Short mmCIF file of all heavy atoms in Angstrom, two decimals:
data_model
loop_
_atom_site.label_atom_id
_atom_site.label_comp_id
_atom_site.label_asym_id
_atom_site.label_seq_id
_atom_site.Cartn_x
_atom_site.Cartn_y
_atom_site.Cartn_z
N ARG A 1 -3.55 -3.30 9.62
CA ARG A 1 -3.37 -4.51 10.41
C ARG A 1 -3.35 -5.80 9.59
O ARG A 1 -2.60 -6.72 9.90
CB ARG A 1 -4.47 -4.59 11.47
CG ARG A 1 -4.37 -5.81 12.39
CD ARG A 1 -5.35 -5.73 13.52
NE ARG A 1 -5.18 -6.84 14.42
CZ ARG A 1 -5.78 -6.93 15.60
NH1 ARG A 1 -6.59 -5.97 16.00
NH2 ARG A 1 -5.58 -7.97 16.37
N ASN A 2 -4.17 -5.89 8.56
CA ASN A 2 -4.31 -7.17 7.87
C ASN A 2 -3.26 -7.43 6.80
O ASN A 2 -3.33 -8.43 6.08
CB ASN A 2 -5.72 -7.31 7.27
CG ASN A 2 -5.98 -6.34 6.14
OD1 ASN A 2 -5.10 -5.56 5.76
ND2 ASN A 2 -7.18 -6.36 5.60
N GLY A 3 -2.29 -6.56 6.67
CA GLY A 3 -1.20 -6.79 5.72
C GLY A 3 -1.55 -6.51 4.28
O GLY A 3 -0.76 -6.83 3.39
N GLN A 4 -2.69 -5.89 4.04
CA GLN A 4 -3.10 -5.55 2.68
C GLN A 4 -2.78 -4.08 2.39
O GLN A 4 -3.03 -3.22 3.23
CB GLN A 4 -4.60 -5.78 2.50
CG GLN A 4 -5.03 -7.22 2.68
CD GLN A 4 -4.55 -8.12 1.56
OE1 GLN A 4 -4.71 -7.80 0.39
NE2 GLN A 4 -3.96 -9.25 1.92
N VAL A 5 -2.26 -3.82 1.21
CA VAL A 5 -2.03 -2.45 0.73
C VAL A 5 -3.05 -2.18 -0.36
O VAL A 5 -3.14 -2.95 -1.33
CB VAL A 5 -0.60 -2.27 0.18
CG1 VAL A 5 -0.39 -0.82 -0.27
CG2 VAL A 5 0.44 -2.66 1.21
N ARG A 6 -3.80 -1.11 -0.23
CA ARG A 6 -4.78 -0.75 -1.25
C ARG A 6 -4.38 0.60 -1.85
O ARG A 6 -4.10 1.54 -1.12
CB ARG A 6 -6.17 -0.69 -0.64
CG ARG A 6 -7.30 -0.61 -1.66
CD ARG A 6 -8.65 -0.90 -1.01
NE ARG A 6 -8.79 -2.32 -0.67
CZ ARG A 6 -9.86 -2.84 -0.10
NH1 ARG A 6 -10.89 -2.06 0.21
NH2 ARG A 6 -9.91 -4.13 0.18
N ILE A 7 -4.34 0.66 -3.19
CA ILE A 7 -3.95 1.88 -3.90
C ILE A 7 -5.11 2.33 -4.77
O ILE A 7 -5.67 1.54 -5.53
CB ILE A 7 -2.70 1.63 -4.77
CG1 ILE A 7 -1.51 1.16 -3.91
CG2 ILE A 7 -2.31 2.90 -5.53
CD1 ILE A 7 -0.29 0.78 -4.72
N TRP A 8 -5.45 3.61 -4.64
CA TRP A 8 -6.51 4.20 -5.45
C TRP A 8 -5.92 5.23 -6.42
O TRP A 8 -4.89 5.84 -6.15
CB TRP A 8 -7.53 4.94 -4.58
CG TRP A 8 -8.34 4.06 -3.69
CD1 TRP A 8 -9.54 3.46 -3.96
CD2 TRP A 8 -8.02 3.69 -2.34
NE1 TRP A 8 -9.99 2.75 -2.87
CE2 TRP A 8 -9.09 2.88 -1.87
CE3 TRP A 8 -6.96 3.98 -1.49
CZ2 TRP A 8 -9.10 2.34 -0.59
CZ3 TRP A 8 -6.96 3.44 -0.22
CH2 TRP A 8 -8.03 2.63 0.23
N SER A 9 -6.63 5.44 -7.52
CA SER A 9 -6.32 6.54 -8.41
C SER A 9 -6.97 7.81 -7.87
O SER A 9 -8.09 7.77 -7.36
CB SER A 9 -6.84 6.26 -9.83
OG SER A 9 -6.19 5.14 -10.38
N VAL A 10 -6.25 8.91 -7.96
CA VAL A 10 -6.75 10.21 -7.50
C VAL A 10 -6.87 11.10 -8.73
O VAL A 10 -5.97 11.12 -9.57
CB VAL A 10 -5.76 10.82 -6.48
CG1 VAL A 10 -6.25 12.18 -6.00
CG2 VAL A 10 -5.57 9.88 -5.28
N PRO A 11 -7.97 11.84 -8.91
CA PRO A 11 -9.07 12.06 -7.96
C PRO A 11 -10.28 11.15 -8.15
O PRO A 11 -11.28 11.33 -7.47
CB PRO A 11 -9.46 13.50 -8.24
CG PRO A 11 -9.25 13.63 -9.71
CD PRO A 11 -8.05 12.78 -10.05
N SER A 12 -10.22 10.18 -9.06
CA SER A 12 -11.42 9.39 -9.37
C SER A 12 -11.88 8.55 -8.18
O SER A 12 -13.08 8.26 -8.05
CB SER A 12 -11.15 8.48 -10.57
OG SER A 12 -10.25 7.44 -10.23
N GLY A 13 -10.95 8.12 -7.33
CA GLY A 13 -11.31 7.27 -6.20
C GLY A 13 -11.49 5.81 -6.58
O GLY A 13 -11.93 5.00 -5.76
N LYS A 14 -11.13 5.45 -7.82
CA LYS A 14 -11.24 4.05 -8.23
C LYS A 14 -10.03 3.27 -7.74
O LYS A 14 -8.90 3.75 -7.81
CB LYS A 14 -11.32 3.97 -9.76
CG LYS A 14 -12.60 4.54 -10.34
CD LYS A 14 -12.63 4.39 -11.84
CE LYS A 14 -13.92 4.95 -12.42
NZ LYS A 14 -13.96 4.82 -13.91
N MET A 15 -10.29 2.06 -7.20
CA MET A 15 -9.18 1.25 -6.71
C MET A 15 -8.30 0.83 -7.88
O MET A 15 -8.80 0.28 -8.87
CB MET A 15 -9.68 0.03 -5.95
CG MET A 15 -8.57 -0.65 -5.15
SD MET A 15 -9.15 -2.00 -4.12
CE MET A 15 -9.42 -3.26 -5.34
N HIS A 16 -7.01 1.09 -7.75
CA HIS A 16 -6.07 0.80 -8.83
C HIS A 16 -5.51 -0.61 -8.69
O HIS A 16 -5.48 -1.37 -9.66
CB HIS A 16 -4.94 1.83 -8.80
CG HIS A 16 -3.87 1.60 -9.81
ND1 HIS A 16 -4.06 1.81 -11.15
CD2 HIS A 16 -2.59 1.14 -9.67
CE1 HIS A 16 -2.95 1.52 -11.80
NE2 HIS A 16 -2.05 1.10 -10.93
N VAL A 17 -5.07 -0.96 -7.48
CA VAL A 17 -4.49 -2.29 -7.26
C VAL A 17 -4.52 -2.58 -5.76
O VAL A 17 -4.49 -1.66 -4.93
CB VAL A 17 -3.04 -2.37 -7.81
CG1 VAL A 17 -2.09 -1.49 -7.00
CG2 VAL A 17 -2.54 -3.81 -7.85
N GLU A 18 -4.59 -3.86 -5.41
CA GLU A 18 -4.48 -4.28 -4.01
C GLU A 18 -3.34 -5.28 -3.91
O GLU A 18 -3.21 -6.17 -4.75
CB GLU A 18 -5.78 -4.89 -3.51
CG GLU A 18 -5.77 -5.19 -2.02
CD GLU A 18 -7.16 -5.41 -1.46
OE1 GLU A 18 -7.95 -6.13 -2.11
OE2 GLU A 18 -7.46 -4.87 -0.38
N ILE A 19 -2.52 -5.12 -2.88
CA ILE A 19 -1.31 -5.92 -2.71
C ILE A 19 -1.41 -6.69 -1.40
O ILE A 19 -1.69 -6.12 -0.35
CB ILE A 19 -0.06 -5.01 -2.67
CG1 ILE A 19 0.06 -4.21 -3.97
CG2 ILE A 19 1.20 -5.84 -2.44
CD1 ILE A 19 1.08 -3.08 -3.90
N GLY A 20 -1.18 -7.98 -1.47
CA GLY A 20 -1.10 -8.80 -0.27
C GLY A 20 0.34 -8.88 0.20
O GLY A 20 1.16 -9.58 -0.40
N ALA A 21 0.65 -8.16 1.27
CA ALA A 21 2.03 -8.07 1.74
C ALA A 21 2.31 -9.03 2.90
O ALA A 21 3.34 -8.92 3.55
CB ALA A 21 2.34 -6.65 2.17
N GLY A 22 1.41 -9.97 3.16
CA GLY A 22 1.63 -10.94 4.23
C GLY A 22 0.65 -10.75 5.38
O GLY A 22 -0.19 -9.85 5.36
N PRO A 23 0.75 -11.58 6.42
CA PRO A 23 -0.24 -11.57 7.51
C PRO A 23 0.00 -10.51 8.58
O PRO A 23 -0.85 -10.34 9.46
CB PRO A 23 -0.10 -12.97 8.10
CG PRO A 23 1.36 -13.31 7.88
CD PRO A 23 1.73 -12.68 6.58
N ASN A 24 1.12 -9.84 8.55
CA ASN A 24 1.50 -8.95 9.65
C ASN A 24 1.05 -7.52 9.41
O ASN A 24 0.93 -7.07 8.27
CB ASN A 24 3.02 -8.98 9.85
CG ASN A 24 3.51 -10.35 10.24
OD1 ASN A 24 3.19 -10.87 11.30
ND2 ASN A 24 4.29 -10.97 9.35
N ARG A 25 0.83 -6.79 10.52
CA ARG A 25 0.39 -5.40 10.45
C ARG A 25 1.44 -4.54 9.75
O ARG A 25 2.62 -4.59 10.06
CB ARG A 25 0.15 -4.86 11.86
CG ARG A 25 -0.33 -3.42 11.89
CD ARG A 25 -0.44 -2.90 13.32
NE ARG A 25 -1.65 -3.35 13.96
CZ ARG A 25 -1.69 -4.18 15.00
NH1 ARG A 25 -0.56 -4.69 15.48
NH2 ARG A 25 -2.84 -4.53 15.56
N ILE A 26 0.98 -3.75 8.79
CA ILE A 26 1.84 -2.78 8.12
C ILE A 26 1.76 -1.48 8.90
O ILE A 26 0.67 -0.96 9.14
CB ILE A 26 1.41 -2.58 6.66
CG1 ILE A 26 1.60 -3.88 5.87
CG2 ILE A 26 2.22 -1.45 6.00
CD1 ILE A 26 1.02 -3.84 4.48
N ARG A 27 2.89 -0.95 9.27
CA ARG A 27 2.95 0.27 10.07
C ARG A 27 3.26 1.52 9.24
O ARG A 27 2.92 2.63 9.66
CB ARG A 27 4.02 0.13 11.15
CG ARG A 27 3.71 -0.87 12.24
CD ARG A 27 2.84 -0.24 13.29
NE ARG A 27 2.68 -1.12 14.45
CZ ARG A 27 2.14 -0.71 15.58
NH1 ARG A 27 1.73 0.55 15.71
NH2 ARG A 27 2.00 -1.54 16.60
N THR A 28 3.92 1.34 8.10
CA THR A 28 4.40 2.53 7.40
C THR A 28 4.51 2.25 5.90
O THR A 28 4.84 1.14 5.48
CB THR A 28 5.76 2.97 7.98
OG1 THR A 28 6.23 4.14 7.30
CG2 THR A 28 6.80 1.88 7.89
N LEU A 29 4.21 3.27 5.12
CA LEU A 29 4.30 3.24 3.66
C LEU A 29 5.07 4.45 3.17
O LEU A 29 5.02 5.51 3.80
CB LEU A 29 2.91 3.27 3.03
CG LEU A 29 1.94 2.12 3.28
CD1 LEU A 29 0.56 2.51 2.78
CD2 LEU A 29 2.43 0.85 2.61
N ALA A 30 5.72 4.32 2.03
CA ALA A 30 6.40 5.46 1.41
C ALA A 30 6.59 5.19 -0.07
O ALA A 30 6.94 4.07 -0.46
CB ALA A 30 7.75 5.72 2.06
N TYR A 31 6.35 6.20 -0.89
CA TYR A 31 6.66 6.12 -2.31
C TYR A 31 8.12 6.53 -2.52
O TYR A 31 8.62 7.46 -1.87
CB TYR A 31 5.78 7.06 -3.12
CG TYR A 31 4.42 6.50 -3.48
CD1 TYR A 31 3.34 6.66 -2.62
CD2 TYR A 31 4.22 5.80 -4.67
CE1 TYR A 31 2.08 6.15 -2.94
CE2 TYR A 31 2.99 5.28 -5.00
CZ TYR A 31 1.92 5.45 -4.14
OH TYR A 31 0.70 4.95 -4.46
N LEU A 32 8.79 5.86 -3.45
CA LEU A 32 10.12 6.29 -3.86
C LEU A 32 9.98 7.51 -4.78
O LEU A 32 8.90 7.75 -5.32
CB LEU A 32 10.85 5.14 -4.55
CG LEU A 32 11.18 3.96 -3.63
CD1 LEU A 32 11.84 2.84 -4.40
CD2 LEU A 32 12.05 4.38 -2.45
N PRO A 33 11.04 8.30 -4.94
CA PRO A 33 10.92 9.62 -5.58
C PRO A 33 10.28 9.63 -6.96
O PRO A 33 9.57 10.57 -7.30
CB PRO A 33 12.38 10.11 -5.63
CG PRO A 33 13.04 9.45 -4.47
CD PRO A 33 12.41 8.10 -4.39
N GLU A 34 10.52 8.62 -7.78
CA GLU A 34 9.96 8.62 -9.12
C GLU A 34 8.48 8.25 -9.14
O GLU A 34 7.81 8.40 -10.16
CB GLU A 34 10.75 7.68 -10.02
CG GLU A 34 12.18 8.17 -10.27
CD GLU A 34 12.95 7.25 -11.19
OE1 GLU A 34 12.39 6.21 -11.59
OE2 GLU A 34 14.11 7.57 -11.51
N GLY A 35 7.97 7.74 -8.02
CA GLY A 35 6.55 7.47 -7.90
C GLY A 35 6.09 6.14 -8.45
O GLY A 35 4.92 5.79 -8.33
N ASP A 36 6.99 5.37 -9.04
CA ASP A 36 6.58 4.08 -9.63
C ASP A 36 6.75 2.91 -8.68
O ASP A 36 6.36 1.79 -9.00
CB ASP A 36 7.37 3.82 -10.92
CG ASP A 36 8.88 3.76 -10.68
OD1 ASP A 36 9.35 4.30 -9.65
OD2 ASP A 36 9.58 3.17 -11.52
N LYS A 37 7.33 3.16 -7.50
CA LYS A 37 7.54 2.10 -6.52
C LYS A 37 7.04 2.55 -5.15
O LYS A 37 7.21 3.72 -4.76
CB LYS A 37 9.01 1.70 -6.44
CG LYS A 37 9.56 1.09 -7.73
CD LYS A 37 11.02 0.71 -7.57
CE LYS A 37 11.56 0.10 -8.86
NZ LYS A 37 11.58 1.08 -9.96
N LEU A 38 6.46 1.59 -4.42
CA LEU A 38 5.91 1.84 -3.09
C LEU A 38 6.60 0.90 -2.10
O LEU A 38 6.74 -0.30 -2.37
CB LEU A 38 4.40 1.59 -3.07
CG LEU A 38 3.69 1.75 -1.74
CD1 LEU A 38 3.61 3.23 -1.35
CD2 LEU A 38 2.29 1.14 -1.81
N VAL A 39 7.01 1.44 -0.96
CA VAL A 39 7.68 0.66 0.07
C VAL A 39 6.70 0.43 1.22
O VAL A 39 6.00 1.36 1.64
CB VAL A 39 8.93 1.38 0.61
CG1 VAL A 39 9.75 0.44 1.49
CG2 VAL A 39 9.79 1.92 -0.53
N SER A 40 6.63 -0.80 1.72
CA SER A 40 5.81 -1.10 2.89
C SER A 40 6.67 -1.84 3.92
O SER A 40 7.56 -2.61 3.57
CB SER A 40 4.60 -1.96 2.51
OG SER A 40 4.99 -3.27 2.12
N ALA A 41 6.37 -1.58 5.19
CA ALA A 41 7.11 -2.25 6.27
C ALA A 41 6.24 -2.27 7.51
O ALA A 41 5.29 -1.49 7.64
CB ALA A 41 8.43 -1.53 6.55
N GLY A 42 6.59 -3.17 8.44
CA GLY A 42 5.77 -3.24 9.64
C GLY A 42 6.25 -4.29 10.63
O GLY A 42 7.45 -4.50 10.80
N GLU A 43 5.28 -4.99 11.22
CA GLU A 43 5.59 -5.86 12.35
C GLU A 43 6.20 -7.18 11.95
O GLU A 43 6.70 -7.92 12.79
CB GLU A 43 4.32 -6.06 13.18
CG GLU A 43 3.83 -4.75 13.78
CD GLU A 43 2.65 -4.92 14.70
OE1 GLU A 43 2.23 -6.08 14.94
OE2 GLU A 43 2.14 -3.89 15.18
N GLY A 44 6.18 -7.50 10.66
CA GLY A 44 6.83 -8.72 10.20
C GLY A 44 8.31 -8.57 9.96
O GLY A 44 8.98 -9.52 9.57
#
């Protein structure tokens, strides 16, 4: 809901990076095939 994306490293569980994607609720996330890019989209 708060427009923040949080990414953790697996399996350590350490937070890797946090992304501020704006004020609108994010509904869906997807990694692109190579794994180096993340797509976010939602109510904005």
Side-chain angles (χ1 to χ4, degrees):
R1 182 172 184 170
N2 67 1
Q4 298 290 311
V5 182
R6 192 166 288 180
I7 301 175
W8 293 270
S9 297
V10 179
S12 71
K14 293 182 179 180
M15 194 174 75
H16 177 72
V17 68
E18 187 163 44
I19 301 168
N24 298 295
R25 181 185 280 114
I26 296 171
R27 292 276 188 169
T28 181
L29 297 169
Y31 276 89
L32 294 177
E34 293 182 357
D36 60 339
K37 296 180 180 65
L38 178 71
V39 191
S40 69
E43 297 185 4

